[in-house]
Coordinates of all heavy atoms in Angstrom, one line a residue:
T223 N 11.4 -0.8 6.6 CA 10.7 -1.8 5.7 C 9.7 -2.6 6.5 O 10.0 -3.1 7.6 CB 11.6 -2.7 4.9 OG1 12.5 -2.0 4.1 CG2 10.8 -3.6 4.0
T224 N 8.5 -2.6 6.1 CA 7.5 -3.5 6.8 C 7.0 -4.6 5.8 O 6.8 -4.3 4.7 CB 6.3 -2.6 7.1 OG1 6.7 -1.6 8.1 CG2 5.2 -3.5 7.8
V225 N 7.0 -5.8 6.3 CA 6.7 -7.0 5.4 C 5.6 -7.7 6.1 O 5.6 -7.9 7.4 CB 7.9 -7.9 5.3 CG1 7.5 -9.1 4.5 CG2 9.0 -7.1 4.6
C226 N 4.6 -8.2 5.4 CA 3.6 -9.0 5.9 C 3.2 -10.3 5.0 O 3.5 -10.2 3.8 CB 2.3 -8.3 6.2 SG 1.4 -7.7 4.7
I227 N 2.7 -11.3 5.5 CA 2.2 -12.3 4.7 C 0.8 -12.2 4.3 O -0.1 -11.8 5.1 CB 2.3 -13.7 5.6 CG1 3.7 -14.0 6.1 CG2 1.8 -14.9 4.7 CD1 4.8 -14.1 4.9
L228 N 0.5 -12.3 3.0 CA -0.9 -12.1 2.5 C -1.7 -13.4 2.8 O -1.2 -14.4 2.8 CB -0.9 -11.8 1.0 CG -0.2 -10.4 0.7 CD1 -0.1 -10.3 -0.8 CD2 -0.7 -9.3 1.4
P229 N -3.0 -13.3 2.8 CA -3.9 -12.1 2.8 C -4.2 -11.6 4.2 O -4.0 -12.2 5.2 CB -5.3 -12.6 2.3 CG -5.3 -14.0 2.7 CD -3.8 -14.5 2.7
K230 N -4.4 -10.2 4.2 CA -4.7 -9.6 5.4 C -5.9 -8.7 5.2 O -6.3 -8.3 4.1 CB -3.5 -8.6 5.8 CG -2.2 -9.4 6.1 CD -2.4 -10.2 7.4 CE -1.1 -11.0 7.8 NZ -1.3 -11.9 8.9
D231 N -6.5 -8.3 6.4 CA -7.7 -7.5 6.2 C -7.4 -6.0 6.5 O -6.3 -5.6 6.9 CB -8.8 -8.0 7.2 CG -8.5 -8.0 8.7 OD1 -7.4 -7.3 9.0 OD2 -9.1 -8.6 9.5
E232 N -8.5 -5.2 6.4 CA -8.3 -3.8 6.6 C -7.8 -3.5 8.0 O -6.9 -2.5 8.1 CB -9.6 -3.0 6.3 CG -9.4 -1.5 6.3 CD -10.6 -0.7 5.9 OE1 -11.4 -1.3 5.2 OE2 -10.7 0.5 6.2
A233 N -8.3 -4.0 9.0 CA -7.8 -3.8 10.4 C -6.2 -3.9 10.5 O -5.5 -3.3 11.2 CB -8.6 -4.6 11.4
Y234 N -5.8 -5.1 9.9 CA -4.4 -5.4 10.0 C -3.6 -4.3 9.2 O -2.6 -3.9 9.8 CB -4.1 -6.7 9.3 CG -2.6 -7.1 9.3 CD1 -2.0 -7.7 10.4 CD2 -1.9 -6.6 8.2 CE1 -0.7 -7.9 10.4 CE2 -0.4 -6.9 8.2 CZ 0.1 -7.6 9.4 OH 1.4 -7.8 9.5
F235 N -4.0 -3.9 8.2 CA -3.3 -2.8 7.5 C -3.3 -1.5 8.2 O -2.3 -0.8 8.2 CB -3.8 -2.6 6.1 CG -3.5 -3.7 5.0 CD1 -4.4 -4.5 4.5 CD2 -2.2 -4.1 4.8 CE1 -4.1 -5.5 3.6 CE2 -1.7 -5.1 3.9 CZ -2.8 -5.9 3.4
E236 N -4.4 -1.2 8.9 CA -4.5 0.0 9.8 C -3.5 0.0 10.7 O -2.6 0.8 11.0 CB -5.8 0.1 10.4 CG -6.9 0.5 9.5 CD -7.1 2.1 9.5 OE1 -6.3 2.9 10.0 OE2 -7.9 2.6 8.7
K237 N -3.2 -1.3 11.4 CA -2.3 -1.5 12.5 C -0.8 -1.4 11.9 O 0.0 -0.8 12.5 CB -2.5 -2.8 13.1 CG -1.6 -3.2 14.3 CD -1.9 -4.5 14.9 CE -1.0 -4.9 16.1 NZ 0.4 -5.1 15.6
M238 N -0.7 -2.0 10.8 CA 0.6 -2.1 10.2 C 1.1 -0.7 9.8 O 2.2 -0.3 10.0 CB 0.6 -3.0 8.8 CG 1.9 -3.1 8.2 SD 1.9 -4.0 6.7 CE 1.0 -2.9 5.6
L239 N 0.2 0.1 9.2 CA 0.5 1.4 8.8 C 0.9 2.4 10.0 O 1.9 3.1 9.9 CB -0.7 2.1 8.1 CG -0.6 3.4 7.3 CD1 0.6 3.2 6.3 CD2 -1.8 3.9 6.7
K240 N 0.2 2.2 11.1 CA 0.5 2.9 12.3 C 2.0 2.7 12.7 O 2.6 3.5 13.4 CB -0.4 2.6 13.5 CG -1.7 3.2 13.1 CD -2.7 2.9 14.4 CE -4.1 3.4 14.0 NZ -5.0 2.9 15.1
E241 N 2.6 1.5 12.5 CA 3.9 1.2 12.9 C 5.1 1.6 12.1 O 6.2 1.6 12.3 CB 4.0 -0.4 13.0 CG 3.1 -1.0 14.0 CD 3.0 -2.5 14.1 OE1 3.8 -3.1 13.2 OE2 2.4 -3.2 14.9
T242 N 4.6 2.2 10.9 CA 5.7 2.7 10.0 C 5.9 4.2 10.1 O 5.1 4.9 10.5 CB 5.3 2.4 8.4 OG1 4.1 3.2 8.2 CG2 5.0 1.0 8.3
K243 N 7.0 4.7 9.6 CA 7.3 6.2 9.6 C 6.2 6.9 8.9 O 5.8 8.0 9.3 CB 8.7 6.3 9.0 CG 9.8 5.9 9.9 CD 11.1 6.3 9.3 CE 12.3 5.7 10.1 NZ 13.6 6.0 9.4
I244 N 5.9 6.3 7.7 CA 4.9 7.1 6.8 C 3.5 7.2 7.4 O 2.8 8.0 7.3 CB 4.9 6.5 5.5 CG1 4.2 7.4 4.5 CG2 4.1 5.1 5.5 CD1 4.8 8.6 4.1
G245 N 3.3 6.1 8.2 CA 1.9 6.1 9.0 C 1.9 7.3 10.0 O 0.7 7.9 10.1
K246 N 3.0 7.7 10.6 CA 3.0 8.8 11.5 C 2.7 10.1 10.7 O 2.1 11.0 11.2 CB 4.2 8.8 12.3 CG 4.3 7.7 13.3 CD 5.6 7.8 13.9 CE 5.9 6.6 14.9 NZ 5.9 5.3 14.3
I247 N 3.3 10.2 9.5 CA 3.1 11.4 8.7 C 1.7 11.4 8.1 O 1.1 12.5 8.2 CB 4.2 11.3 7.5 CG1 5.7 11.4 8.1 CG2 3.8 12.5 6.5 CD1 6.7 11.1 7.1
I248 N 1.2 10.4 7.7 CA -0.1 10.3 7.1 C -1.2 10.6 8.2 O -2.3 11.2 7.8 CB -0.4 8.9 6.4 CG1 0.4 8.9 5.1 CG2 -1.9 8.8 6.0 CD1 0.4 7.5 4.4
K249 N -1.0 10.3 9.3 CA -1.9 10.5 10.5 C -2.3 12.0 10.5 O -3.5 12.4 10.9 CB -1.3 10.1 11.8 CG -2.3 10.1 12.9 CD -1.9 9.4 14.1 CE -1.0 10.3 14.9 NZ -0.5 9.7 16.1
G250 N -1.4 12.9 10.1 CA -1.7 14.3 10.0 C -0.6 15.1 10.7 O -0.1 14.8 11.8
T251 N -0.3 16.2 10.1 CA 0.6 17.2 10.6 C 0.1 18.6 10.3 O -0.5 18.9 9.3 CB 2.0 17.0 10.0 OG1 2.0 17.0 8.6 CG2 2.6 15.8 10.3
R252 N 0.2 19.5 11.3 CA -0.1 20.9 11.2 C -1.6 21.0 10.6 O -1.9 21.8 9.7 CB 0.8 21.6 10.2 CG 2.2 21.6 10.7 CD 3.2 22.5 9.8 NE 4.5 22.3 10.2 CZ 5.5 21.9 9.6 NH1 5.4 21.4 8.3 NH2 6.7 21.8 10.0
G253 N -2.4 20.2 11.2 CA -3.9 20.3 10.8 C -4.2 19.7 9.5 O -5.4 19.7 9.0
K254 N -3.2 19.1 8.7 CA -3.6 18.5 7.4 C -3.6 17.1 7.5 O -2.7 16.4 8.2 CB -2.5 18.9 6.4 CG -2.8 18.5 5.0 CD -1.6 19.1 4.1 CE -2.1 18.9 2.6 NZ -1.2 19.3 1.7
T255 N -4.7 16.5 7.1 CA -4.8 15.0 7.1 C -4.6 14.4 5.7 O -4.8 15.2 4.7 CB -6.2 14.6 7.7 OG1 -7.1 15.1 6.9 CG2 -6.5 15.0 9.0
F256 N -4.3 13.2 5.7 CA -4.0 12.5 4.4 C -5.0 11.3 4.3 O -5.6 10.8 5.2 CB -2.6 12.0 4.3 CG -1.6 13.2 4.3 CD1 -1.1 13.6 5.5 CD2 -1.2 13.7 3.2 CE1 -0.3 14.7 5.5 CE2 -0.4 14.7 3.2 CZ 0.1 15.3 4.3
A257 N -5.1 10.8 3.0 CA -6.0 9.8 2.7 C -5.5 8.5 3.1 O -5.1 7.6 2.2 CB -6.4 9.9 1.2
H258 N -5.4 8.1 4.4 CA -4.9 6.8 4.8 C -5.8 5.7 4.3 O -5.3 4.6 4.1 CB -4.5 6.8 6.3 CG -5.8 6.6 7.1 ND1 -6.5 7.7 7.4 CD2 -6.3 5.6 7.8 CE1 -7.6 7.2 8.2 NE2 -7.4 5.9 8.4
K259 N -7.1 5.9 4.3 CA -8.1 4.8 3.8 C -7.7 4.6 2.3 O -7.8 3.4 1.9 CB -9.5 5.3 4.0 CG -9.9 5.4 5.4 CD -10.3 4.1 5.9 CE -10.9 4.3 7.3 NZ -11.1 3.0 8.0
A260 N -7.5 5.6 1.6 CA -7.2 5.4 0.1 C -5.8 4.6 0.0 O -5.6 3.8 -0.9 CB -7.0 6.7 -0.6
L261 N -4.9 4.8 0.9 CA -3.7 4.1 0.8 C -3.8 2.6 1.1 O -3.3 1.7 0.5 CB -2.6 4.7 1.8 CG -1.2 4.1 1.9 CD1 -0.5 4.0 0.5 CD2 -0.3 4.7 2.9
I262 N -4.7 2.4 2.2 CA -4.9 1.1 2.6 C -5.7 0.3 1.4 O -5.4 -0.8 1.2 CB -5.7 1.0 3.9 CG1 -4.9 1.3 5.0 CG2 -6.4 -0.4 4.2 CD1 -5.5 1.6 6.3
Q263 N -6.7 1.0 0.8 CA -7.3 0.4 -0.3 C -6.3 0.1 -1.4 O -6.5 -1.0 -2.1 CB -8.5 1.4 -0.8 CG -9.6 1.4 0.1 CD -10.7 2.5 -0.3 OE1 -10.4 3.3 -1.2 NE2 -11.8 2.5 0.4
T264 N -5.4 0.9 -1.7 CA -4.4 0.6 -2.7 C -3.6 -0.6 -2.4 O -3.3 -1.5 -3.2 CB -3.4 1.9 -2.9 OG1 -4.3 3.0 -3.3 CG2 -2.4 1.5 -3.9
I265 N -3.2 -0.7 -1.1 CA -2.5 -2.0 -0.6 C -3.3 -3.1 -0.9 O -3.0 -4.2 -1.3 CB -2.0 -1.8 0.8 CG1 -0.9 -0.6 0.9 CG2 -1.4 -3.1 1.3 CD1 -0.7 -0.2 2.4
Q266 N -4.7 -3.0 -0.5 CA -5.5 -4.2 -0.5 C -5.7 -4.5 -2.1 O -5.8 -5.8 -2.3 CB -7.0 -3.9 0.1 CG -6.8 -3.8 1.5 CD -8.2 -3.5 2.2 OE1 -8.8 -2.5 1.7 NE2 -8.6 -4.3 3.1
K267 N -5.8 -3.7 -3.0 CA -5.9 -3.9 -4.4 C -4.7 -4.6 -4.9 O -4.8 -5.6 -5.7 CB -6.3 -2.7 -5.2 CG -7.7 -2.2 -5.0 CD -7.9 -1.0 -5.6 CE -9.3 -0.4 -5.3 NZ -9.7 0.8 -5.9
L268 N -3.5 -4.2 -4.4 CA -2.2 -4.9 -4.8 C -2.3 -6.3 -4.3 O -1.8 -7.2 -5.0 CB -1.0 -4.0 -4.3 CG -0.8 -2.7 -5.1 CD1 0.3 -2.0 -4.3 CD2 -0.4 -3.0 -6.5
Q269 N -2.8 -6.4 -3.0 CA -2.8 -7.7 -2.5 C -3.6 -8.7 -3.3 O -3.2 -9.8 -3.6 CB -3.4 -7.7 -1.0 CG -3.8 -9.0 -0.5 CD -4.5 -8.9 0.9 OE1 -3.8 -9.1 1.9 NE2 -5.7 -8.5 0.9
Q270 N -4.8 -8.2 -3.8 CA -5.7 -9.1 -4.6 C -5.1 -9.3 -6.0 O -5.2 -10.4 -6.4 CB -7.0 -8.3 -4.8 CG -8.1 -9.3 -5.4 CD -8.3 -10.4 -4.5 OE1 -8.7 -10.3 -3.4 NE2 -8.2 -11.7 -5.1
L271 N -4.3 -8.4 -6.5 CA -3.6 -8.6 -7.7 C -2.6 -9.8 -7.6 O -2.5 -10.6 -8.4 CB -2.9 -7.3 -8.2 CG -2.2 -7.3 -9.4 CD1 -3.3 -7.3 -10.6 CD2 -1.4 -6.0 -9.6
V272 N -1.9 -9.8 -6.5 CA -0.8 -10.8 -6.2 C -1.5 -12.2 -6.1 O -1.1 -13.2 -6.5 CB 0.1 -10.4 -5.0 CG1 0.9 -11.6 -4.6 CG2 0.9 -9.3 -5.4
L273 N -2.7 -12.1 -5.3 CA -3.4 -13.4 -5.1 C -4.1 -13.9 -6.4 O -4.0 -15.1 -6.7 CB -4.5 -13.1 -4.0 CG -4.0 -13.0 -2.7 CD1 -5.1 -12.5 -1.8 CD2 -3.3 -14.1 -2.2
D274 N -4.5 -13.1 -7.3 CA -5.0 -13.4 -8.5 C -4.1 -13.9 -9.6 O -4.5 -14.7 -10.5 CB -5.9 -12.3 -9.1 CG -7.1 -12.0 -8.3 OD1 -7.6 -12.9 -7.5 OD2 -7.8 -11.0 -8.6
F275 N -2.9 -13.4 -9.5 CA -1.8 -13.7 -10.5 C -0.6 -14.2 -9.7 O 0.3 -13.4 -9.6 CB -1.5 -12.4 -11.3 CG -2.7 -12.0 -12.2 CD1 -3.5 -11.0 -11.7 CD2 -3.0 -12.7 -13.4 CE1 -4.6 -10.6 -12.4 CE2 -4.1 -12.2 -14.1 CZ -4.9 -11.2 -13.6
P276 N -0.5 -15.4 -9.4 CA 0.7 -16.1 -8.6 C 2.0 -15.9 -9.4 O 3.1 -16.1 -8.8 CB 0.3 -17.5 -8.4 CG -0.9 -17.8 -9.4 CD -1.5 -16.5 -9.8
E277 N 1.9 -15.6 -10.7 CA 3.1 -15.5 -11.4 C 3.9 -14.2 -11.1 O 5.0 -13.9 -11.5 CB 3.0 -15.5 -13.0 CG 2.0 -14.6 -13.6 CD 0.5 -15.1 -13.6 OE1 0.2 -16.0 -12.9 OE2 -0.2 -14.6 -14.5
I278 N 3.2 -13.2 -10.4 CA 3.9 -12.0 -9.9 C 4.9 -12.4 -8.9 O 4.6 -12.9 -7.9 CB 2.8 -11.0 -9.5 CG1 2.0 -10.6 -10.6 CG2 3.5 -9.8 -8.8 CD1 0.8 -9.6 -10.1
S279 N 6.1 -12.0 -9.1 CA 7.2 -12.2 -8.1 C 7.5 -11.0 -7.2 O 8.1 -11.1 -6.2 CB 8.5 -12.9 -8.8 OG 9.0 -11.9 -9.7
A280 N 7.3 -9.8 -7.8 CA 7.6 -8.5 -7.1 C 6.8 -7.5 -7.7 O 6.5 -7.4 -8.8 CB 9.1 -8.3 -7.1
I281 N 6.5 -6.5 -6.8 CA 5.8 -5.3 -7.2 C 6.5 -4.1 -6.5 O 7.0 -4.2 -5.3 CB 4.4 -5.2 -6.7 CG1 3.5 -6.2 -7.5 CG2 3.9 -3.8 -7.1 CD1 2.1 -6.3 -7.1
D282 N 6.9 -3.0 -7.3 CA 7.6 -1.9 -6.9 C 6.8 -0.7 -7.3 O 6.7 -0.5 -8.6 CB 9.0 -1.8 -7.4 CG 9.8 -0.6 -7.0 OD1 9.3 0.1 -6.0 OD2 10.8 -0.3 -7.7
G283 N 6.2 -0.1 -6.4 CA 5.4 1.2 -6.7 C 6.1 2.4 -6.0 O 5.9 2.5 -4.7
N284 N 6.9 3.2 -6.7 CA 7.6 4.2 -6.0 C 7.8 5.4 -6.9 O 8.3 5.3 -8.1 CB 9.0 3.5 -5.7 CG 9.9 4.4 -4.9 OD1 9.4 5.3 -4.2 ND2 11.2 4.1 -4.8
P285 N 7.5 6.5 -6.5 CA 6.8 6.8 -5.2 C 5.2 6.6 -5.2 O 4.7 6.7 -6.4 CB 7.1 8.2 -4.9 CG 7.2 8.8 -6.3 CD 7.7 7.7 -7.2
L286 N 4.7 6.5 -4.2 CA 3.2 6.6 -4.0 C 2.9 8.0 -3.5 O 3.4 8.4 -2.4 CB 2.7 5.6 -3.0 CG 2.5 4.1 -3.5 CD1 2.0 3.3 -2.4 CD2 1.7 4.0 -4.7
L287 N 2.1 8.8 -4.2 CA 1.8 10.0 -3.7 C 0.4 10.0 -3.0 O -0.6 9.5 -3.5 CB 1.6 11.1 -4.9 CG 2.9 11.2 -5.7 CD1 2.7 12.2 -6.9 CD2 4.1 11.7 -4.8
V288 N 0.4 10.5 -1.8 CA -0.9 10.5 -1.0 C -1.2 11.9 -0.6 O -0.5 12.6 0.0 CB -0.6 9.6 0.3 CG1 -2.0 9.7 1.1 CG2 -0.2 8.3 0.0
N289 N -2.5 12.3 -1.0 CA -2.9 13.6 -0.5 C -4.2 13.5 0.3 O -4.4 12.3 0.8 CB -3.1 14.6 -1.7 CG -4.3 14.0 -2.7 OD1 -5.1 13.4 -2.3 ND2 -4.1 14.7 -3.9
E290 N -5.0 14.5 0.4 CA -6.2 14.4 1.3 C -7.2 13.5 0.7 O -8.1 13.0 1.5 CB -6.9 15.8 1.3 CG -5.9 16.8 2.0 CD -5.1 17.6 0.9 OE1 -5.2 17.4 -0.3 OE2 -4.2 18.4 1.4
K291 N -7.2 13.3 -0.6 CA -8.4 12.5 -1.2 C -7.9 11.2 -1.9 O -8.8 10.3 -2.0 CB -9.0 13.4 -2.3 CG -9.6 14.6 -1.8 CD -10.3 15.4 -2.9 CE -10.7 16.7 -2.3 NZ -11.2 17.6 -3.3
R292 N -6.7 11.0 -2.3 CA -6.4 9.8 -3.0 C -4.9 9.4 -3.0 O -4.1 10.1 -2.5 CB -6.8 9.9 -4.5 CG -6.0 11.0 -5.2 CD -6.6 11.2 -6.6 NE -5.8 12.2 -7.3 CZ -5.7 12.2 -8.5 NH1 -6.2 11.4 -9.3 NH2 -4.8 13.1 -9.1
T293 N -4.6 8.3 -3.4 CA -3.3 7.7 -3.6 C -3.0 7.4 -5.1 O -3.7 6.9 -5.7 CB -3.0 6.4 -2.7 OG1 -3.4 6.7 -1.4 CG2 -1.7 5.9 -2.8
V294 N -1.7 7.9 -5.5 CA -1.4 7.7 -6.9 C 0.0 7.0 -7.0 O 0.9 7.6 -6.3 CB -1.4 9.1 -7.6 CG1 -0.9 8.9 -9.1 CG2 -2.8 9.7 -7.6
A295 N 0.2 6.0 -7.7 CA 1.5 5.4 -8.0 C 2.1 6.3 -9.2 O 1.5 6.1 -10.3 CB 1.4 4.1 -8.3
V296 N 3.3 6.8 -9.0 CA 3.9 7.6 -10.1 C 4.6 6.6 -11.0 O 4.6 6.7 -12.2 CB 4.8 8.7 -9.5 CG1 5.5 9.4 -10.7 CG2 4.0 9.7 -8.6
D297 N 5.3 5.8 -10.5 CA 6.2 4.8 -11.2 C 5.9 3.4 -10.6 O 5.9 3.2 -9.5 CB 7.8 5.1 -11.1 CG 8.6 4.2 -11.9 OD1 8.1 3.7 -12.9 OD2 9.7 3.9 -11.6
F298 N 5.5 2.4 -11.6 CA 5.0 1.1 -11.0 C 5.7 0.0 -11.8 O 5.6 0.1 -13.1 CB 3.6 1.1 -11.1 CG 2.9 0.2 -10.3 CD1 2.7 0.4 -9.0 CD2 2.5 -1.1 -10.8 CE1 2.0 -0.5 -8.2 CE2 1.8 -2.0 -10.1 CZ 1.6 -1.7 -8.7
K299 N 6.3 -0.9 -11.2 CA 6.8 -2.1 -11.9 C 6.2 -3.4 -11.3 O 6.2 -3.5 -10.1 CB 8.4 -2.1 -11.8 CG 9.1 -0.9 -12.4 CD 10.6 -1.1 -12.0 CE 11.2 0.2 -12.3 NZ 12.6 0.3 -11.8
I300 N 6.0 -4.3 -12.2 CA 5.5 -5.6 -11.8 C 6.5 -6.7 -12.5 O 6.7 -6.6 -13.6 CB 4.1 -6.0 -12.2 CG1 3.2 -5.0 -11.5 CG2 3.8 -7.5 -11.9 CD1 1.7 -5.2 -12.0
L301 N 7.3 -7.5 -11.6 CA 8.1 -8.5 -12.1 C 7.3 -9.8 -12.2 O 6.7 -10.2 -11.1 CB 9.3 -8.6 -11.2 CG 10.2 -7.3 -11.1 CD1 11.3 -7.4 -10.2 CD2 10.7 -6.9 -12.4
L302 N 7.5 -10.5 -13.2 CA 6.9 -11.9 -13.3 C 7.9 -13.0 -13.3 O 9.0 -12.8 -13.8 CB 6.1 -11.9 -14.6 CG 5.1 -10.9 -15.0 CD1 4.5 -10.9 -16.3 CD2 3.9 -10.9 -13.9
S303 N 7.5 -14.1 -12.7 CA 8.4 -15.2 -12.6 C 8.4 -15.9 -14.0 O 7.4 -15.8 -14.7 CB 8.0 -16.3 -11.6 OG 6.7 -16.7 -11.8
H304 N 9.4 -16.7 -14.3 CA 9.5 -17.2 -15.7 C 9.3 -18.7 -15.6 O 9.9 -19.5 -16.5 CB 11.0 -17.0 -16.3 CG 11.1 -15.5 -16.6 ND1 10.5 -14.9 -17.6 CD2 12.0 -14.6 -15.9 CE1 11.0 -13.6 -17.6 NE2 11.8 -13.4 -16.6
E305 N 8.5 -19.1 -14.7 CA 8.1 -20.6 -14.6 C 7.1 -21.0 -15.6 O 6.3 -20.4 -16.0 CB 7.7 -20.9 -13.2 CG 8.8 -20.6 -12.2 CD 8.4 -20.9 -10.7 OE1 7.5 -21.8 -10.5 OE2 8.9 -20.2 -9.9

């Protein structure tokens, strides 16, 4: 699990992604590359969502499918605080 304090920029997410197991896979295997930029953009959009709506207490997007062109969240949950 990788955790960071928001907000962060694209360079930070590039570095963070490289430190994870999935980052090594996305970097490419057997000549196939994946849309790591699309994954970073998805993370940045989620970051902005959390910053825009402070009532969000948790987000669970599982699984995220990443191919050569895009990232897709198959199942997505947003938990809101009751304050």
Side-chain angles (χ1 to χ4, degrees):
T223 301
T224 299
V225 177
C226 71
I227 304 295
L228 301 178
K230 296 294 180 182
D231 60 15
E232 186 171 341
Y234 178 86
F235 287 121
E236 286 274 359
K237 182 179 180 287
M238 181 184 73
L239 191 58
K240 288 179 185 177
E241 295 174 1
T242 64
K243 289 179 185 179
I244 194 67
K246 292 174 180 66
I247 294 167
I248 288 174
K249 189 170 84 174
T251 56
R252 297 186 187 118
K254 187 173 187 178
T255 59
F256 295 90
H258 76 283
K259 292 279 188 191
L261 179 58
I262 289 171
Q263 288 173 347
T264 299
I265 294 168
Q266 288 177 310
K267 288 176 183 177
L268 289 171
Q269 168 184 259
Q270 191 60 53
L271 186 68
V272 170
L273 293 172
D274 289 345
F275 297 95
E277 60 267 29
I278 295 174
S279 61
I281 294 178
D282 180 18
N284 189 16
L286 286 177
L287 302 179
V288 181
N289 66 21
E290 301 88 5
K291 297 179 183 175
R292 63 185 185 155
T293 301
V294 176
V296 175
D297 186 22
F298 200 80
K299 296 177 197 170
I300 297 176
L301 300 175
L302 303 175
S303 62
H304 295 289
E305 294 179 31

